[in-house]
Amino acid sequence: MLDSRGALAAEIAESVKLALHAKQSAEQLNVTVEKSLREEARRSELKLAYLRVSATGAFSIFLLGRLFLSKVSTIPPPTIGSLGAALAWTTFSGVALLLLRKDWYKPWLRRAFPITDGALLVAAFGLTRMGGDPFAPFPGLATTFAVLCVVLAFTGAFRLTRSAVELTTGLAMLALLLTMAVGWLSPLATGGAVVAVLLSGALALSVTDMIRRVVMNEVGRVTLDQMYGEAQRVIDAREEILRIVAHDLRNPLNTISMATSLLLEESADATRTSQLRIIRRAGERANRLIQDLLSVTTIEAGRLSVAPRKVSISELLHESAEMLQPIAREKSITISVIAADDLPSVRADPSRVLQVFSNLVGNAIKFTPAGGSITLSAERGDGNVKCSVRDNGPGIPAAQIPRLFGKFWQAKRGDSGGVGLGLAIARGIVEAHGGTVTVESEVGKGSVFSFPLPVWNGESARNDSGQWSTLTREIPSQSAPA
């Protein structure tokens, strides 16, 4: 037989779970971040390519200018080695810029470009020294080479990975040590340049980490905003469906209930009367389910209205016990009330508090075995009266207690006694009264659900002035666990 209530709850829970499952996981978020960083690194590499072309272009113009001036003045022309170095570096810079402008950027180019830069830097230094170029002796060419090594170390920051910074720093240091080994740089100049390269590399690492944190935070913020927006749309759609279904079902159910009551008044046949009573009880259960759905949507929307007034808590306890006694009697469960005669009156909405007791006691009846007992009690607290519902049922495992007040959550899946809204509604009503529901339970010994109600005092009377007021609190929603 199809359990429509369980099916409705399962369908809603599955819709939410599927919607949330479609969101980006932590791994997908990391992929998104890396993709964003790779795209930013491509743009940075393009900027670096323009700088490289500009530098090599300026160097080539300088050499060509010297070559032209050597024809009309005493300025010595550049050597073949200098021209060869300029040609090689200009060619590489042009090819790199062309590839990047065509959006051809692969991860391995993050390593290929700096390695080529380092190799050409050393080669250009060696070629320029050949042929007795007047700019080759120290400090002109050596200083330029050291500065370019420092720049090379920092270019790793443009590629936005720590490994790229470590590579460029290592290449710059290797170039310096290699030139010192062949006698092109003095040990003292090499030592100073190495220190500058290390400082440049440390700065590049800091810049890289900072940029990665900024990108990670921004991508994470955008992703979370999208997740929140999508989840909110799912929740809003679900709540709208619940409101429509509840509204459209109440009218025909009320018609069925009224017609059944009329037929019961006219029925004299015992079998027919029994069947009509079954129909009426089914209609009443469906009505209670609809009311629960409406109540939980009202609570979540922060529009729960309570009309507080001066109420005797002892009368509420006895009224609750009398109301639920017939249901308990069917399972041979006894309901008792323990409340001192001198308990102060409380400031509460009696119909709402009765709903809380109905949900808590009804839940206790459902799980307490036949022959068990349930106790409703109240005791004076600090500015309030603490109400409790105690049972000697099987108790609640500690792992399940944090999930008790989630909507549509049930300790036993497929339970035909409801869809798991009673405790969520009870919590919402108690919080609208300024309190909270607490749970104490021990497996095998039973459970105790407690909540406070504020004591009625002169200030309460002045605030209410004999009129009905509305307390509206935003009750945080809690989705059913998957």
Side-chain angles (χ1 to χ4, degrees):
M1 179 179 178
L2 178 63
D3 184 351
S4 59
R5 291 170 293 180
L8 175 61
E11 182 178 351
I12 293 172
E14 186 65 18
S15 298
V16 175
K17 184 167 71 173
L18 288 176
L20 295 177
H21 182 71
K23 311 301 182 294
Q24 290 174 309
S25 62
E27 293 77 9
Q28 291 173 320
L29 180 59
N30 288 333
V31 170
T32 302
V33 170
E34 289 302 325
K35 183 178 179 181
S36 300
L37 288 172
R38 189 161 54 249
E39 178 60 26
E40 183 62 31
R42 187 195 66 81
R43 289 192 291 265
S44 299
E45 192 74 64
L46 182 60
K47 295 176 184 177
L48 189 60
Y50 278 115
L51 290 175
R52 189 187 293 112
V53 167
S54 300
T56 55
F59 182 56
S60 298
I61 291 173
F62 170 70
L63 292 180
L64 292 175
R66 283 178 56 194
L67 182 61
F68 174 76
L69 291 175
S70 67
K71 304 296 185 180
V72 297
S73 67
T74 59
I75 295 177
T79 63
I80 297 299
S82 299
L83 291 173
L87 178 62
W89 215 333
T90 302
T91 302
F92 164 67
S93 301
V95 171
L97 179 59
L98 181 63
L99 291 176
L100 292 171
R101 282 179 60 85
K102 296 292 185 181
D103 290 334
W104 198 82
Y105 183 68
K106 304 297 181 181
W108 59 268
L109 287 177
R110 291 185 181 183
R111 296 183 296 273
F113 281 156
I115 291 173
T116 306
D117 277 331
L120 287 176
L121 187 60
V122 174
F125 189 19
L127 289 173
T128 305
R129 288 176 54 86
M130 297 179 182
D133 193 302
F135 288 89
F138 185 84
L141 185 60
T143 302
T144 304
F145 176 75
V147 170
L148 290 176
C149 285
V150 173
V151 173
L152 174 63
F154 188 76
T155 57
F158 286 83
R159 298 173 179 98
L160 301 180
T161 61
R162 294 181 66 90
S163 59
V165 175
E166 293 168 356
L167 175 62
T168 54
T169 303
L171 287 171
M173 292 181 61
L174 180 62
L176 289 170
L177 295 175
L178 183 60
T179 53
M180 183 189 71
V182 297
W184 296 348
L185 275 183
S186 67
L188 183 60
T190 302
V194 166
V195 172
V197 165
L198 290 174
L199 292 176
S200 178
L203 178 61
L205 278 176
S206 300
V207 171
T208 298
D209 290 341
M210 180 187 68
I211 294 175
R212 290 183 69 88
R213 283 196 301 271
V214 170
V215 173
M216 177 72 78
N217 292 338
E218 183 62 19
V219 172
R221 183 188 64 79
V222 172
T223 302
L224 289 176
D225 286 347
Q226 292 175 346
M227 291 174 62
Y228 175 80
E230 293 176 14
Q232 192 61 47
R233 284 193 292 272
V234 171
I235 292 173
D236 291 343
R238 185 198 64 191
E239 302 302 346
E240 183 63 23
I241 291 173
L242 290 180
R243 283 191 290 269
I244 293 173
V245 169
H247 180 272
D248 290 348
L249 285 179
R250 293 189 85 174
N251 289 334
L253 281 173
N254 287 334
T255 301
I256 292 173
S257 180
M258 292 174 60
T260 305
S261 298
L262 290 174
L263 290 173
L264 278 171
E265 291 177 1
E266 300 175 358
S267 175
D269 182 81
T271 302
R272 186 182 181 189
T273 299
S274 175
Q275 292 172 342
L276 288 172
R277 285 174 178 169
I278 292 174
I279 294 173
R280 186 170 64 179
R281 282 197 299 270
E284 290 172 351
R285 284 197 299 270
N287 251 325
R288 282 196 298 271
L289 173 60
I290 291 172
Q291 186 56 49
D292 284 349
L293 292 173
L294 291 174
S295 296
V296 79
T297 54
T298 301
I299 289 171
E300 285 193 328
R303 297 191 299 269
L304 178 66
S305 297
V306 294
R309 60 186 179 89
K310 186 177 181 180
V311 181
S312 168
I313 191 62
S314 179
E315 292 180 3
L316 282 179
L317 291 176
H318 284 90
E319 184 176 351
S320 300
E322 292 173 4
M323 177 176 63
L324 295 162
Q325 193 68 252
I327 303 175
R329 193 177 297 118
E330 293 179 0
K331 291 183 65 176
S332 301
I333 295 174
T334 59
I335 299 180
S336 58
V337 175
I338 300 177
D341 295 333
D342 59 348
L343 281 176
S345 298
V346 296
R347 182 175 184 268
D349 183 332
S351 62
R352 293 293 190 186
V353 175
L354 283 174
Q355 189 177 1
V356 173
F357 278 120
S358 176
N359 289 348
L360 294 180
V361 176
N363 210 53
I365 291 173
K366 181 165 58 176
F367 291 101
T368 300
S373 63
I374 298 172
T375 302
L376 281 66
S377 63
E379 58 183 7
R380 181 69 183 264
D382 185 12
N384 58 53
V385 174
K386 181 181 179 182
C387 305
S388 300
V389 176
R390 180 187 300 272
D391 65 66
N392 61 353
I396 305 168
Q400 293 184 2
I401 290 179
R403 308 165 68 187
L404 287 177
F405 298 96
K407 296 175 299 177
F408 305 109
W409 187 84
Q410 295 175 304
K412 296 179 180 179
R413 295 297 182 186
D415 182 13
S416 61
V419 293
L421 293 175
L423 292 180
I425 294 171
R427 182 188 66 172
I429 294 174
V430 171
E431 289 182 355
H433 283 80
T436 184
V437 182
T438 59
V439 184
E440 298 176 14
S441 185
E442 186 176 349
V443 176
K445 294 188 177 181
S447 307
V448 182
F449 288 77
S450 305
F451 62 93
L453 292 174
V455 172
W456 177 272
N457 51 38
E459 183 178 355
S460 299
R462 287 193 298 272
N463 290 338
D464 288 352
S465 301
Q467 297 179 356
W468 289 57
S469 62
T470 300
L471 296 178
T472 303
R473 295 172 180 262
E474 185 173 348
I475 307 303
S477 63
Q478 179 175 344
S479 301

